[in-house]
Amino acid sequence: MKKSELRQQQIKRLKKYVNFQDKKQEDSQLLEKFLGLKIVKDSQTFGVTASLPMEVDTSELIARLWDQGKEVYLAKARTDQEHTLDFLHYTYKSKLVRSKFGVEEIAEDDHTEINNELDVVLVPGLAFALDSHVRLGFGGGYYDRFLAKYQPQTVSLANKVMQFRQANWPVEKTDVPVQTIVTTEKIY
């Protein structure tokens, strides 16, 4: 199956899943498992994306990281020619704006701190292959380019709709696998 076809199929499946109570319960379980990881306990700086409703909710995760005294940096897509990604320091005082992708990002000013040398990056996706740890993202390549350049520790949260035993989509040499995939049943 082509990536674009699976991407559209997954978006439809995930948008349907938003309406089920299971999703809230799964999001909560994934949050607890994530916070229990040794790399989370041992790390100080975290790169996170403000989630869309169809994704695993990151709002509670961000609040809990703040409660633990961790530093959170929110992803900001640069729609320049290189389609780069930066992580901007995020506090409860940060002003957010909606990007052209519909994702909340920090409204940047001259004093916004960028940190791309993060301890852990929580990598979003539409589908995750549990055997190879490759992911199907939204198609811009922002995360793959970022991960290839900075090589942080990576974790993804995958609800049951996002999990695939193996990749049934084409995997390209530029696709960067995530190191850890957290599911409600197991940590891969």
Side-chain angles (χ1 to χ4, degrees):
M1 179 179 287
K2 289 182 181 176
K3 279 185 171 182
S4 58
E5 292 170 356
L6 180 60
R7 197 172 281 122
Q8 292 309 310
Q9 187 180 80
Q10 277 298 97
I11 289 171
K12 285 180 186 172
R13 290 178 69 211
L14 290 165
K15 283 183 176 179
K16 280 184 187 175
Y17 192 52
V18 168
N19 301 318
F20 290 90
Q21 185 62 29
D22 287 3
K23 183 186 181 305
K24 278 189 172 185
Q25 291 171 344
E26 248 191 293
D27 286 0
S28 180
Q29 290 173 341
L30 292 169
L31 165 69
E32 294 304 326
K33 281 199 167 195
F34 173 78
L35 291 172
L37 292 173
K38 182 176 180 356
I39 60 171
V40 172
K41 292 176 182 174
D42 293 346
S43 298
Q44 185 58 35
T45 58
F46 293 82
V48 182
T49 300
S51 56
L52 295 170
M54 69 177 162
E55 296 177 291
V56 174
D57 186 5
T58 57
S59 59
E60 178 71 17
L61 180 140
I62 291 167
R64 298 272 296 275
L65 288 171
W66 284 338
D67 288 347
Q68 293 179 14
K70 310 284 187 179
E71 292 178 38
V72 177
Y73 293 81
L74 210 57
K76 183 173 187 82
R78 305 289 187 189
T79 52
D80 53 13
Q81 286 184 320
E82 296 176 17
H83 287 72
T84 57
L85 188 67
D86 282 324
F87 284 88
L88 283 60
H89 192 233
Y90 182 41
T91 70
Y92 68 92
K93 293 180 181 179
S94 298
K95 182 180 180 205
L96 299 177
V97 294
R98 195 162 303 279
S99 75
K100 74 174 195 170
F101 302 111
V103 177
E104 287 189 329
E105 297 178 336
I106 292 176
E108 211 170 345
D109 64 28
D110 293 341
H111 306 294
T112 306
E113 178 192 348
I114 295 172
N115 181 1
N116 292 332
E117 300 288 340
L118 301 161
D119 296 331
V120 176
V121 172
L122 188 66
V123 183
L126 297 169
F128 299 92
L130 300 178
D131 64 342
S132 62
H133 290 227
V134 294
R135 59 181 266 283
L136 178 70
F138 286 87
Y142 290 87
Y143 270 87
D144 289 320
R145 277 188 287 285
F146 179 88
L147 298 175
K149 182 176 181 178
Y150 294 101
Q151 302 178 347
Q153 294 182 91
T154 55
V155 179
S156 290
L157 307 179
N159 65 34
K160 64 185 176 187
V161 179
M162 297 173 173
Q163 296 171 37
F164 288 75
R165 211 169 280 140
Q166 59 195 31
N168 63 353
W169 59 88
V171 177
E172 299 162 27
K173 65 180 180 180
T174 54
D175 292 340
V176 178
V178 292
Q179 295 161 333
T180 304
I181 300 174
V182 177
T183 70
T184 56
E185 290 82 33
K186 187 176 175 183
I187 296 171
Y188 293 88

